Amino acid sequence: MAGIQTVVLKGDPDRAGVYTIMLRVPAHTKIAAHSHRDDRVATVISGTWHFGYGNKFDEAQLKSLPAGSFYTEPPGQPHFAETGDEPVTVQITGFGPSSTDYVDPAQDPRKHKAE
């Protein structure tokens, strides 16, 4: 997604085995509902991450997770997120290979890069 930086800290999310990535998400960013095929655990490193589970982005389902909070991303469980007025850094650990599958393919930002 535009502005989101992904840094691989350990392993390779595209290969079998443990990996850890760090996401740096700019302020005022909304991430549509999506899921991953692997089981993941995440920790909010800085900022307040607004995170929820469900098949579509639903502001009423968002939980505010300040720095130090953790959450899980079970395999195949759709989830969504957004940032507020500050950027957020999240560290995610999983067991690859990983994937990202948007519930609504039209909301997949990777498909809009060339436009």
Side-chain angles (χ1 to χ4, degrees):
M1 286 186 75
I4 295 179
Q5 296 177 325
T6 302
V7 178
V8 176
L9 302 176
K10 175 181 177 48
D12 182 345
D14 294 329
R15 299 195 184 283
V18 174
Y19 68 88
T20 300
I21 59 174
M22 181 172 51
L23 295 181
R24 292 185 179 124
V25 187
H28 306 289
T29 299
K30 186 182 284 190
I31 300 173
H34 64 283
S35 64
H36 311 281
R37 66 179 167 196
D38 59 315
D39 198 8
R40 298 160 53 134
V41 177
T43 303
V44 180
I45 303 301
S46 66
T48 300
W49 189 229
H50 305 281
F51 182 87
Y53 297 101
N55 288 326
K56 65 178 183 173
F57 189 95
D58 180 356
E59 201 163 304
Q61 296 299 315
L62 291 171
K63 305 290 185 217
S64 295
L65 303 174
S69 300
F70 73 93
Y71 62 95
T72 61
E73 297 178 358
Q77 173 66 55
H79 53 276
F80 48 89
E82 75 175 354
T83 57
D85 292 334
E86 61 186 347
V88 174
T89 301
V90 179
Q91 180 176 301
I92 301 170
T93 298
F95 192 87
S98 189
S99 66
T100 301
D101 302 299
Y102 283 82
V103 173
D104 178 354
Q107 294 182 321
D108 185 340
R110 299 168 296 190
K111 294 184 178 182
H112 303 292
K113 281 185 176 180
E115 297 177 359

